[in-house]
Amino acid sequence: MDKSREEFRKVIEKMGGTKRIAKKLKRFTQDNEFVSKHWKKLLKQHPDQWIAVLGGKVTVFADDLETLIGSIPEEDRGSTVIRFVDTDPKTLILMAA
């Protein structure tokens, strides 16, 4: 086995294996879908706040990102969806070169 494959295998193993990674990615996707599905409700409940979503529910909210991140248990920080509930979103226009 070449060196890069061995390093990749070690990383996968350190992360708990492919099944655990797939499970966490599925949950992360579901939590993003939760945010999209409930966006209007979140705008009313948490206007101009940062929210953390894990397991299909808002687990933490705060007025600033630093406070929010500090309130998320360390073991959940890598798998928590974090969003700012912006009541005045900016429209971005991309122009081709």
Side-chain angles (χ1 to χ4, degrees):
M1 190 179 300
D2 66 35
K3 186 176 179 177
S4 62
R5 281 188 181 201
E6 180 63 22
E7 289 173 359
F8 180 74
R9 188 192 62 74
K10 285 180 182 179
V11 169
I12 296 297
E13 191 176 292
K14 186 176 180 181
M15 294 174 70
T18 55
K19 288 183 181 180
R20 183 166 185 256
I21 293 168
K23 184 178 177 180
K24 289 182 101 172
L25 284 172
K26 182 177 180 180
R27 184 174 72 182
F28 190 79
T29 299
Q30 290 169 335
D31 288 340
N32 272 296
E33 289 170 351
F34 169 87
V35 171
S36 295
K37 183 177 178 181
H38 295 93
W39 188 249
K40 288 182 181 180
K41 183 178 176 182
L42 293 170
L43 279 167
K44 291 177 184 174
Q45 292 178 336
H46 303 289
D48 297 319
Q49 289 186 314
W50 289 92
I51 61 168
V53 175
L54 185 63
K57 62 184 177 182
V58 176
T59 56
V60 181
F61 58 91
D63 292 330
D64 64 90
L65 183 58
E66 186 176 344
T67 300
L68 181 88
I69 291 173
S71 300
I72 299 170
E74 196 168 323
E75 64 272 10
D76 294 333
R77 290 184 187 165
S79 55
T80 300
V81 172
I82 297 174
R83 292 283 296 270
F84 182 69
V85 184
D86 195 346
T87 58
D88 186 27
K90 312 301 179 263
T91 301
L92 301 176
I93 300 173
L94 302 176
M95 301 186 66

